[in-house]
Amino acid sequence: QLGAWAEVETVQKVVEALREVLPHLDTPLVFTNGDYNPINFLTDGQRVSGFVDFEGACFENPHIGFVKFLLWGQDDYGWGTGVKAGLVERYLYSQNISRREFSPLLLLRGLRHLILETSLEENDREWREHYLSILELALRELR
């Protein structure tokens, strides 16, 4: 349900774009914790020894978890560190995925976070504008 968001031009464009591209996505789903934040991976200094934060575990597109770095990359720890280190770009390069191919995932998860985590109220302006700018960038990259 889009509610009041249905009147926002960027949201309308995202919904239209998703209607076109989602039927063509056929990436096999994988089981994931859904949260690739580096602070969730435990290490002994040499190798990963464990991981935490599994409440969002599910089967999903293996690449969609990297969207969160772009959405939440304003912080100064896990997500922000991933953005500063170019983690998303490195991942996309290693998987031979273009930004254009990644854009539908960014649109899908970005729209979800916009609607569920912000409102059209003034007190949500900073995050709302951040999410909308990410969605607009993904729309441009999709073309």
Side-chain angles (χ1 to χ4, degrees):
Q1 296 286 339
L2 294 176
W5 289 106
E7 303 301 317
V8 176
E9 183 180 1
T10 299
V11 170
Q12 293 170 359
K13 290 178 182 177
V14 168
V15 170
E16 182 180 316
L18 287 172
R19 280 190 181 127
E20 290 179 29
V21 299
L22 285 182
H24 305 288
L25 295 181
D26 64 355
T27 305
L29 304 180
V30 298
F31 184 75
T32 173
N33 73 335
D35 192 342
Y36 301 151
N37 190 325
I39 63 175
N40 292 332
F41 294 86
L42 309 175
T43 177
D44 63 9
Q46 299 295 317
R47 61 183 178 80
V48 173
S49 58
F51 36 87
V52 296
D53 201 0
F54 246 74
E55 72 268 7
C58 63
F59 285 94
E60 67 181 353
N61 182 296
H63 316 302
I64 201 165
F66 286 89
V67 167
K68 289 182 182 179
F69 286 97
L70 302 176
L71 295 173
W72 294 342
Q74 294 177 309
D75 72 17
D76 290 328
Y77 53 99
W79 301 111
T81 300
V83 171
K84 291 174 189 165
L87 185 69
V88 174
E89 290 77 10
R90 291 170 190 244
Y91 175 78
L92 295 177
Y93 179 80
S94 74
Q95 299 299 306
N96 196 29
I97 299 169
S98 70
R99 289 298 292 229
R100 184 176 190 280
E101 293 169 303
F102 188 64
S103 292
L105 302 177
L106 189 52
L107 291 173
L108 189 61
R109 177 87 25 111
L111 182 62
R112 178 178 180 264
H113 285 286
L114 175 73
I115 292 169
L116 294 179
E117 297 176 7
T118 67
S119 71
L120 292 168
E121 303 296 322
E122 184 60 29
N123 62 338
D124 277 342
R125 192 175 116 214
E126 182 181 348
W127 277 103
R128 180 181 63 244
E129 289 179 1
H130 172 69
Y131 288 146
L132 286 169
S133 70
I134 296 280
L135 291 171
E136 290 165 5
L137 174 65
L139 285 168
R140 285 192 303 273
E141 290 174 337
L142 190 59
R143 294 183 189 126

